[in-house]
Amino acid sequence: MTSAFSKQEMRRNLLVEWLVVTVRFVQARRTAVLAALVALGLLTAAGFGYWWYQERREDEASRALARAHSTLRGEQPGTPGNPDEAMKRYREITQQYRGTRSAEEGLLALGNLQFEAGKMDDSIGIFGDYLTTYPRGRFRVMAGLGKAYAQEAKGDLQGAAKTLSELLDRDKDDAFAGEAYMALARMYEGLKKPDEAMRVYGQVVEKFSQTQWAQHALQRMSALKTK
């Protein structure tokens, strides 16, 4: 047997035929193919450039966040922290590096500091901004709780209950959902809605058995039954 293929056998070889067609196609449309390759190269370069830019922003934001944390704790060991300066730095991070992980964390820290300073309107606005800007954020439930607690501090129990209800509609399986359920039940108690409070406390007992949340919920349910 000979190892050489005849011309007729080569023409019957589908792979060879496909290669021939491809070469002819490229030769006939050389300009279009080159343009497509150039476009692909530009898209790849643009994608890499965007990735590099984002990584650089994340790195800069991370360093800025570390400085803000240091300001809050105290620049040097034994020195007191400066909450006002820390708030300023957190705000700068959220504005200059919006959309980064550090800006997300900084926004939550800013809301907490405003709450601790007794600036409830500012705290509500900041936590609300977090929920809008980072709808899938890592600290979504914490931000929702912060907003609800600030509303509660202002006496807006109805608003706090609405915030918590909307939060739990989406994040009922979050690690902090138990606290949100407990807060919602407390709001209902404050609104003189014992039936609603009992319902939510019951959900806590069912969903979070063997936790302190469940123990506290049982205590509140017992207290409500005696009223």
Side-chain angles (χ1 to χ4, degrees):
M1 294 179 62
T2 178
S3 60
F5 287 92
S6 67
K7 292 183 178 180
Q8 183 177 5
E9 288 173 326
M10 289 182 64
R11 283 195 295 269
R12 291 175 181 174
N13 189 301
L14 294 178
L15 178 59
V16 173
E17 290 181 2
W18 180 84
L19 289 173
V20 170
V21 170
T22 301
V23 170
R24 289 175 178 173
F25 176 85
V26 172
Q27 289 176 338
R29 297 169 176 79
R30 183 176 302 172
T31 301
V33 170
L34 288 175
L37 290 174
V38 170
L40 179 61
L42 290 174
L43 287 173
T44 301
F48 177 79
Y50 178 76
W51 172 84
W52 178 84
Y53 171 73
Q54 285 296 100
E55 286 298 307
R56 183 177 178 182
R57 287 186 75 236
E58 289 284 0
D59 185 57
E60 291 176 354
S62 178
R63 290 197 298 270
L65 183 65
R67 290 193 294 270
H69 288 335
S70 178
T71 300
L72 182 61
R73 294 190 303 266
E75 298 286 355
Q76 300 295 331
T79 61
N82 189 336
D84 291 336
E85 181 63 23
M87 279 194 281
K88 178 182 177 182
R89 292 191 176 187
Y90 285 131
R91 193 181 300 278
E92 289 174 351
I93 293 168
T94 63
Q95 293 172 349
Q96 294 178 16
Y97 302 101
R98 196 172 186 85
T100 64
R101 293 184 295 272
S102 294
E104 178 189 357
E105 185 176 341
L107 193 59
L108 187 75
L110 181 59
N112 287 331
L113 285 176
Q114 295 284 17
F115 183 91
E116 292 172 4
K119 300 177 180 179
M120 298 307 162
D121 287 331
D122 290 338
S123 182
I124 291 169
I126 290 168
F127 286 129
D129 186 23
Y130 179 98
L131 294 171
T132 301
T133 306
Y134 303 99
R136 296 180 178 83
R138 296 169 293 163
F139 312 112
R140 178 177 172 80
V141 173
M142 295 173 67
L145 283 166
K147 180 180 179 181
Y149 290 157
Q151 290 171 312
E152 180 186 20
K154 286 192 63 180
D156 183 11
L157 301 184
Q158 190 66 49
K162 182 175 183 294
T163 296
L164 292 165
S165 294
E166 292 175 351
L167 185 68
L168 289 169
D169 283 343
R170 175 169 179 171
D171 300 293
K172 61 183 178 180
D173 296 321
D174 187 89
F176 289 96
E179 183 175 348
Y181 276 107
M182 291 297 294
L184 178 58
R186 187 175 71 251
M187 301 308 160
Y188 283 139
E189 284 197 62
L191 290 167
K192 309 301 181 185
K193 296 181 177 180
D195 291 341
E196 288 297 306
M198 286 286 287
R199 176 182 62 81
V200 177
Y201 282 134
Q203 290 177 320
V204 174
V205 173
E206 179 182 352
K207 293 175 178 290
F208 305 97
S209 60
Q210 309 303 318
T211 67
Q212 291 185 348
W213 291 323
Q215 294 176 13
H216 188 200
L218 286 171
Q219 293 173 1
R220 292 308 307 154
M221 291 174 74
S222 178
L224 287 172
K225 288 177 182 178
T226 60
K227 290 184 178 180

